[in-house]
Amino acid sequence: MSQLKENQIFILAANSAAIKSVHENHLEYYEDRISNPAINKLVSYVSSTINNEIGATYGVSILHDHVIFGTDHTPKNAGVVFFLEASLDKKTTLEIIQKSRSLAIHIVQKMLPDGDLFQEQQAVPWLDPEKVEALDERQELFLTKWGNTKIPDGFSLIDAPENTPLLCVDSEFMTPEKRTTTSSSIDGAGLADGYSNSRNEAYILTIQESLQKTGDVRKFKVAHPDLLTIISEAAFKNMPVRFTATKTTDNTSQKSTYTLDTLMIDDKLLDTEGFELT
């Protein structure tokens, strides 16, 4: 059976009513008691990920506080309580708590060298493939900075101080796999198909493109914010564009990403076969 770690405990996504009960019986606030920088970074990472993927979906915030756990029957331990600030109906609250717990377990497991010996990788079936990919990218950024960092004394993830831990960790963060990439320049033309300011992305229906299949909407990261102004104008006016971009391919996964380097509206393309606009 998993044994509770002595120094750090996370209670995952208790609702506001539950946190009041826990506070009265088990804990007192003690700001910044957890001093290990890797643990504190993990707390921030778990919090931001839960709020990005679950809090945003439900329009709520899931907060956390540093605390001391302890009663006459339990030793005192430093820890963190995650809790739902809003008052929602029972069904929605339960959905948020269950998803938050499983997502936290999922992302912690994926950052450990050997995963968890006591259970399989926690599934998160409500996340679509695009969000899972974004989650993997966030994890890689985290591990690039904190990979192979020791976790003194480990920590436990629990849902109540008196319950058996959901997950116990006594390890270090895994070292991210060193990836090599290949880059090449491409150029082409197409129709503006929209953009996203928040994601810093532009979308182009490619009609002409060097060395690439055309006729698909391609997503580009944008190298300069001025390019978003151009793509928005082209989309509004329904005008074709010419572009140059950098294609970067991960040699391990063979996945490619595209960064838009230059972009211009070219109304002369309206006279080119394949650019008749309706």
Side-chain angles (χ1 to χ4, degrees), residues 84-95:
L84 179 61
E85 184 179 37
S87 296
L88 302 172
D89 63 89
K90 186 176 180 179
K91 179 181 178 182
T92 303
T93 297
L94 184 59
E95 286 179 1

Side-chain angles (χ1 to χ4, degrees), residues 53-241:
E53 304 300 341
I54 298 172
T57 300
Y58 289 89
V60 298
S61 294
I62 296 170
L63 308 181
H64 66 272
D65 274 315
H66 288 73
V67 297
I68 293 292
F69 299 90
T71 68
D72 293 339
H73 305 291
T74 61
K76 290 204 169 188
N77 305 285
V80 173
V81 173
F82 291 82
F83 60 96
L84 179 61
E85 184 179 37
S87 296
L88 302 172
D89 63 89
K90 186 176 180 179
K91 179 181 178 182
T92 303
T93 297
L94 184 59
E95 286 179 1
I96 293 172
I97 291 173
Q98 290 176 337
K99 287 183 177 181
S100 297
R101 286 173 179 162
S102 57
L103 179 58
I105 293 170
H106 174 86
I107 61 179
V108 171
Q109 284 180 319
K110 291 193 69 174
M111 288 191 292
L112 303 177
D114 299 317
D116 177 35
L117 297 178
F118 301 100
Q119 64 188 80
E120 296 180 357
Q121 175 68 49
Q122 177 69 53
V124 283
W126 66 88
L127 290 181
D128 60 43
E130 184 175 324
K131 287 189 175 182
V132 171
E133 184 176 349
L135 200 64
D136 289 342
E137 291 175 355
R138 282 170 56 86
Q139 173 191 301
E140 189 167 350
L141 289 173
F142 180 93
L143 291 174
T144 296
K145 184 172 183 179
W146 296 97
N148 207 27
T149 299
K150 299 292 184 182
I151 307 172
D153 301 315
F155 62 90
S156 299
L157 279 68
I158 63 178
D159 57 2
E162 64 274 11
N163 288 354
T164 300
L166 303 169
L167 176 68
C168 286
V169 174
D170 186 10
S171 186
E172 60 191 21
F173 298 137
M174 66 185 292
T175 302
E177 180 182 356
K178 291 184 178 180
R179 294 178 176 271
T180 58
T181 60
T182 302
S183 296
S184 59
S185 296
I186 62 172
D187 59 80
L191 302 174
D193 197 60
Y195 60 97
S196 170
N197 276 314
S198 61
R199 296 183 179 181
N200 198 40
E201 293 174 349
Y203 314 107
I204 298 175
L205 173 62
T206 59
I207 305 299
Q208 302 171 2
E209 186 174 296
S210 59
L211 306 179
Q212 299 293 320
K213 182 179 71 173
T214 61
D216 294 328
V217 174
R218 192 174 300 288
K219 176 175 70 177
F220 296 86
K221 286 294 183 182
V222 175
H224 194 281
D226 287 350
L227 300 179
L228 287 175
T229 302
I230 298 173
I231 198 73
S232 64
E233 180 184 356
F236 178 75
K237 294 181 178 178
N238 202 25
M239 298 293 288
V241 295

